[in-house]
């Protein structure tokens, strides 16, 4: 259930890369549910068409599904033209197209590293370049989808860590260069979100219970959690939020403990003599 009025985005138009599934599909759904129309762009033609048809049917707003690759500026430009032709404007842009897989540096070819940077970082840049004219006209806003894994040295994620750090840096510059024109640019850094391709690709099923214990909020996030964050950041309630990273992860990345080093969360849920409990583990 939303805390926002259902028509706050009436007359607004969103352009979403990677909107065919997962987090960005959910964010698009949330924008449509609040009155916007949208275009979603993804690489798999049948998938993106089906996703757009479902979003249109479920929300009663209009969603265009366009096949394209954020690595190809021409395909982005064509999608922007089609969006403006259909809806007349672009207010909100979500840069969400991403690629990921687990690999140590030893198993990561130069091309593999470059591929993820091209999809995530170059893809975000290409999306900004293709949309900025319209977003400036609308005094609109950007959200880039990043991550928290590059805040530390996350094993098996050299490629994505570099790519997401680049996105964070890029969005800071967008906020500063285009803030004076009335444009806002923010980042959402999701933690593990259940039911997404990211979790399926990155987290083995048999460690889900263990990893949940290490999340201070004691659960994985939901797609709706990220949808709500997106609605907030695009809404007038966030009109002074610019150049920010909104981490939506139940405080996961702040928790450096694991249940092996400290009995987390048990120790913090129990009353009693903490000094002897700690001493007994040393
Ligand atoms: N481990 C190591 N290297 C891998 C790999 C893996 N699991 N998967 C792909 N690669 C390498 C490939 O071998 C190739 O390198 P090479 O040319 O040196 O052999 C390079 O990455 C590019 O792979 P390719 O399959 O040609 O690229 P693509 O553009 O078709 O696909 C990916 C891009 C690899 C990111 C693919 O995983 C993808 O399409 N992902 C999109 C969806 C996604 O990741 N969603 C999750 C978001 S969290």
């Amino acid at each position: 259930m939303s805390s926002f009025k259902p028509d706050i985005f009436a007359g607004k138009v969103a352009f979403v890369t990677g909107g065919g599934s997962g987090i960005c599909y959910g964010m698009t759904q949330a924008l449509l549910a609040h009155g916007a129309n949208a275009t979603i762009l993804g690489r798999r033609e049948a998938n993106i068409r089906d996703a757009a048809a479902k979003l249109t049917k479920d929300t009663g707003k209009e969603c265009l599904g366009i096949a394209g690759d954020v690595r190809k500026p021409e395909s982005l430009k064509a999608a922007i033209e089609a969006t403006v032709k259909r809806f007349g404007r672009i207010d909100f842009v979500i840069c969400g197209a991403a690629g990921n897989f687990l690999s140590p540096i030893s198993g990561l070819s130069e091309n593999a590293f470059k591929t993820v940077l091209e999809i995530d970082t170059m893809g975000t840049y290409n999306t900004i370049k293709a949309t900025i004219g319209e977003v400036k006209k609308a005094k609109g806003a950007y959200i880039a989808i990043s991550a928290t894994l590059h805040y530390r040295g996350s094993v098996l994620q050299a490629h994505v860590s570099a790519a997401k750090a680049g996105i964070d840096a890029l969005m800071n510059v967008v906020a500063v260069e285009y803030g004076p024109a009335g444009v806002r640019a923010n980042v959402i850094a999701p933690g593990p979100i259940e039911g997404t391709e990211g979790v399926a690709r990155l987290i083995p099923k048999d460690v889900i219970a263990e990893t949940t214990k290490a999340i201070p909020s004691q659960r994985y996030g939901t797609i709706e959690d990220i949808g709500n964050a997106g609605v907030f950041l695009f809404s007038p309630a966030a009109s002074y939020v610019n150049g920010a990273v909104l981490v939506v992860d139940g405080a996961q990345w702040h928790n450096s403990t694991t249940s092996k080093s400290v009995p987390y969360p048990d120790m913090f849920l129990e009353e009693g003599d903490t000094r002897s409990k700690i001493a007994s583990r040393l």
Side-chain angles (χ1 to χ4, degrees):
M1 222 202 24
S2 174
S3 306
F4 289 86
K5 288 184 186 160
D7 63 348
I8 50 170
F9 297 140
K12 305 284 189 190
V13 176
F15 182 83
V16 183
T17 71
S21 63
I23 285 175
C24 295
Y25 179 92
M27 292 179 78
T28 308
Q29 189 168 34
L31 297 179
L32 295 171
H34 290 85
N37 291 315
T39 293
I40 54 175
L41 180 115
R43 269 193 292 163
R44 290 167 291 168
E45 186 155 7
N47 180 63
I48 205 78
R49 295 256 155 83
D50 291 352
K54 182 161 168 41
L55 285 167
T56 299
K57 184 164 167 278
D58 290 350
T59 63
K61 299 302 294 184
E62 188 174 346
C63 185
L64 285 184
I66 299 181
D69 189 331
V70 293
R71 289 173 285 189
K72 298 184 179 131
E74 328 76 58
S75 82
L76 275 166
K77 283 176 194 152
I80 301 304
E81 271 173 33
T83 303
V84 175
K85 191 166 171 223
R86 180 70 194 95
F87 300 124
R89 57 192 289 147
I90 296 175
D91 301 86
F92 306 138
V93 177
I94 297 174
C95 305
N100 200 353
F101 50 82
L102 294 174
S103 177
I105 290 172
S106 60
L108 195 64
S109 70
E110 291 83 346
N111 187 46
F113 185 86
K114 187 173 86 164
T115 298
V116 170
L117 262 89
E118 279 178 347
I119 299 172
D120 292 25
T121 320
M122 282 301 302
T124 297
Y125 187 71
N126 292 340
T127 304
I128 291 163
K129 287 289 278 183
T131 54
I132 190 66
E134 289 298 326
V135 176
K136 262 172 75 176
K137 268 193 250 166
K139 295 192 187 302
Y142 287 90
I143 295 174
I145 306 302
S146 185
T148 59
L149 46 90
H150 53 296
Y151 302 169
R152 298 184 182 147
S154 297
V155 297
L156 313 181
Q157 292 280 265
H159 44 329
V160 183
S161 298
K164 297 299 194 186
I167 289 174
D168 292 0
L170 172 60
M171 296 309 282
N172 289 342
V173 178
V174 176
V176 175
E177 289 196 359
Y178 291 100
V183 173
R184 296 182 299 111
N186 293 297
V187 170
I188 291 178
I193 303 300
E194 65 187 16
T196 58
E197 191 179 343
V199 162
R201 275 173 180 258
L202 307 177
I203 304 178
K205 283 197 182 67
D206 61 353
V207 304
I208 287 190
E210 193 67 16
T211 53
T212 301
K213 281 174 76 178
I215 300 171
S217 292
Q218 297 294 289
R219 66 174 176 86
Y220 273 36
T222 63
I223 288 175
E224 197 183 3
D225 289 325
I226 308 300
N228 284 333
V231 171
F232 164 66
L233 283 177
F234 283 139
S235 79
S239 65
Y240 200 53
V241 182
N242 193 13
V245 177
L246 181 55
V247 177
V248 185
D249 75 337
Q252 183 209 32
W253 90 267
H254 284 296
N255 187 7
S256 61
T257 63
T258 67
S259 55
K260 290 200 175 68
S261 59
V262 170
Y264 188 90
D266 315 41
M267 187 177 156
F268 300 92
L269 293 171
E270 290 162 5
E271 302 290 331
D273 176 11
T274 53
R275 199 181 288 193
S276 64
K277 273 187 205 159
I278 290 167
S280 72
R281 298 191 67 81
L282 297 174

